[in-house]
Amino acid sequence: NRIHLEDNELLFIFKEVLNRKDFTMQTKYRMSKGKSFKIHKFNKACSEDDNTIVFCKTKNGNVFGGFNHDPWDQMTEESTRNVIFSVTKQTVHQFNPENDDSIPAFTYNSDLQLAFGYEDLVIGDNCGLAESCSSRMGQACEFNKDGEETYLAGQPRFKLEEICILKCEFYD
């Protein structure tokens, strides 16, 4: 039941999301079906890492996530290189600091949740057992489609079947 990506989906991630050719990835954290995502375990595994890519999979098979250029424990007010993406729909949504200067590109609370944007994608503690995740696209990222609350996962609040967080090491 692991997140499985086809060749065209991997090409989409490499080309459109990471915009790089030469890099390696290392798994930093993984939560599988029936388990519980714990923020304190995420904190221990990768809060100081930069260049992390988060893959999420819901029960209905939607695969989506985000790329965070900065370390999670060093929140910045803007980062134009952070993105939210949908592998299922093959779309990438850049963060737009002009939407609202007070909305950061990502937030991280070591006891509660990690989030891309304000409410664009929120991954809560215990998200494998409870519907502690939500998405409301367009708060901090570019989004010009209908269905901002159901676009990524198919419903406004959801639990994850799997989450995988990878650290990317880039070579220029």
Side-chain angles (χ1 to χ4, degrees):
N1 235 4
R2 299 262 167 125
I3 295 174
H4 174 77
L5 299 176
E6 300 294 333
D7 288 345
N8 65 323
E9 294 170 325
L10 286 171
L11 185 60
F12 165 75
I13 295 297
F14 298 153
K15 185 177 177 188
E16 302 297 329
V17 177
L18 298 177
N19 199 21
R20 300 287 184 108
K21 293 179 184 176
D22 297 324
F23 61 92
T24 60
M25 290 191 271
Q26 173 190 8
T27 302
K28 297 296 284 188
Y29 183 89
R30 180 182 295 275
M31 184 261 333
S32 299
K33 185 177 181 179
K35 303 283 185 186
S36 179
F37 174 75
K38 291 298 202 181
I39 291 292
H40 73 273
K41 289 182 181 178
F42 163 83
N43 183 32
K44 196 173 190 181
C46 43
S47 68
E48 297 177 358
D49 290 327
D50 60 354
N51 297 321
T52 53
I53 190 164
V54 178
F55 288 100
C56 302
K57 180 181 177 186
T58 60
K59 186 177 182 178
N60 63 9
N62 286 347
V63 178
F64 53 90
F67 175 74
N68 187 7
H69 174 73
D70 300 309
W72 286 94
D73 64 356
Q74 295 177 22
M75 188 173 92
T76 61
E77 286 303 313
E78 62 182 65
S79 178
T80 56
R81 294 194 284 183
N82 291 358
V83 298
I84 291 177
F85 58 86
S86 170
V87 174
T88 305
K89 296 179 180 173
Q90 299 260 316
T91 58
V92 178
H93 306 276
Q94 299 286 336
F95 281 88
N96 184 358
E98 295 175 9
N99 281 357
D100 185 340
D101 289 340
S102 65
I103 297 176
F106 67 96
T107 58
Y108 165 68
N109 178 319
S110 62
D111 298 322
L112 188 61
Q113 67 188 20
L114 59 100
F116 288 90
Y118 176 63
E119 293 178 334
D120 297 81
L121 175 58
V122 177
I123 302 168
D125 201 36
N126 272 340
C127 67
L129 302 175
E131 290 185 350
S132 63
C133 297
S134 63
S135 176
R136 199 168 129 213
M137 296 290 289
Q139 302 300 298
C141 67
E142 297 171 352
F143 186 74
N144 301 334
K145 301 175 182 355
D146 291 332
E148 67 274 353
E149 292 185 350
T150 59
Y151 184 78
L152 289 178
Q155 58 193 57
R157 295 195 61 77
F158 52 93
K159 66 181 179 179
L160 295 179
E161 188 168 278
E162 184 171 356
I163 186 169
C164 182
I165 301 170
L166 305 168
K167 164 118 175 87
C168 301
E169 193 69 43
F170 298 116
Y171 306 101
D172 292 323

